Amino acid sequence: MKTKLIAQRYARALVANLPKEDHALLLADLQQLKNIFNSDILQKMDSRLLAGKDKLEIANLIAKETNHPKLWYALFQILLKKQRIVAFPAILDQIDEIILSEQNKQRVILKLAQEQTPEIIESIKKEISKYFDKELIVEIEIDPSIIGGFEVYAGSTKINASVRASLQKFLEKLKQR
């Protein structure tokens, strides 16, 4: 919870100080940074075994891959100095959420048990868009463990219409008898 609050503060400050015209490029940066900034890099940058200058060099190399290298490098410097680099992935998520919210959009992850036809995916999108009342940006993930149906994740919201969830509820009711 503390990390999320820290991430929200940094994200709000960053977005508030960028013109709205830059938001599209910032969203592109987020995707680029999420692809680059994996758990291995996070562990190295948070490690006390790696020298500060080496951490800054890694940060500089990562920042150079974005549309706003100075902005990201400055953020990395602050996070490293305050030993809050572990909050970086959460900051990216919060920035994404803030910008999309301003655009009346919502990013959702739609988990399916298996590949579905475009028609079925569109019908699911149509139904879940009623719940959010926003334009959806849907990322599809395949997870056979849900057996059938689907799960939707959007921020802290979860919609579980999976066969796995139905079976779990059924088993819980049997245990209560």
Side-chain angles (χ1 to χ4, degrees), residues 157-176:
T157 303
K158 178 180 178 182
I159 301 170
N160 195 338
S162 69
V163 172
R164 175 179 59 193
S166 296
L167 286 172
Q168 287 171 338
K169 286 179 188 176
F170 175 73
L171 292 172
E172 286 173 16
K173 285 182 182 179
L174 284 177
K175 286 179 183 178
Q176 292 174 354

Side-chain angles (χ1 to χ4, degrees), residues 92-117:
L92 296 179
D93 290 341
Q94 290 298 314
I95 292 168
D96 187 57
E97 199 172 298
I98 291 167
I99 292 174
L100 291 179
S101 179
E102 288 175 358
Q103 298 172 351
N104 199 36
K105 295 179 181 177
Q106 176 70 50
R107 186 176 310 278
V108 299
I109 296 171
L110 173 60
K111 283 191 178 183
L112 302 166
Q114 60 191 14
E115 293 288 333
Q116 297 294 330
T117 65

Side-chain angles (χ1 to χ4, degrees), residues 10 45 48 52 55-56 73-85:
Y10 281 103
M45 291 183 76
R48 296 191 189 273
K55 292 177 184 182
L56 289 173
Y73 184 66
L75 179 60
F76 282 133
Q77 285 178 308
I78 292 167
L79 294 174
L80 287 167
K81 181 179 178 185
K82 294 190 174 210
Q83 297 179 351
R84 292 184 172 163
I85 196 67

Side-chain angles (χ1 to χ4, degrees), residues 1-157:
M1 185 65 166
K2 183 179 176 183
T3 301
K4 186 173 181 177
L5 292 174
I6 290 168
Q8 286 173 340
R9 281 191 229 127
Y10 281 103
R12 282 191 208 115
L14 195 142
V15 173
N17 288 296
L18 261 179
K20 289 199 186 295
E21 309 82 68
D22 283 357
H23 286 185
L25 288 175
L26 194 61
L27 287 174
D29 281 354
L30 297 180
Q31 292 308 312
Q32 184 74 3
L33 288 166
K34 286 178 182 182
N35 290 336
I36 296 170
F37 206 85
N38 60 36
S39 61
D40 289 340
I41 291 175
L42 183 61
Q43 284 179 337
K44 286 177 184 162
M45 291 183 76
D46 191 42
S47 171
R48 296 191 189 273
L49 300 174
L50 193 63
K53 64 180 176 70
D54 294 333
K55 292 177 184 182
L56 289 173
E57 183 58 34
I58 293 170
N60 189 36
L61 291 171
I62 293 170
K64 284 182 180 179
E65 297 298 318
T66 67
N67 295 305
H68 300 90
K70 290 179 183 177
L71 173 116
W72 294 113
Y73 184 66
L75 179 60
F76 282 133
Q77 285 178 308
I78 292 167
L79 294 174
L80 287 167
K81 181 179 178 185
K82 294 190 174 210
Q83 297 179 351
R84 292 184 172 163
I85 196 67
V86 294
F88 187 69
I91 293 169
L92 296 179
D93 290 341
Q94 290 298 314
I95 292 168
D96 187 57
E97 199 172 298
I98 291 167
I99 292 174
L100 291 179
S101 179
E102 288 175 358
Q103 298 172 351
N104 199 36
K105 295 179 181 177
Q106 176 70 50
R107 186 176 310 278
V108 299
I109 296 171
L110 173 60
K111 283 191 178 183
L112 302 166
Q114 60 191 14
E115 293 288 333
Q116 297 294 330
T117 65
E119 294 80 18
I120 290 175
I121 291 172
E122 281 306 312
S123 68
I124 294 170
K125 283 182 186 179
K126 185 177 177 181
E127 289 304 311
I128 59 177
S129 69
K130 292 176 188 175
Y131 178 82
F132 291 102
D133 196 29
K134 293 182 178 186
E135 180 184 335
L136 298 181
I137 299 170
V138 179
E139 297 173 10
I140 297 174
E141 292 182 7
I142 303 301
D143 181 359
S145 72
I146 68 172
I147 305 169
F150 61 88
E151 295 176 349
V152 177
Y153 299 87
S156 61
T157 303

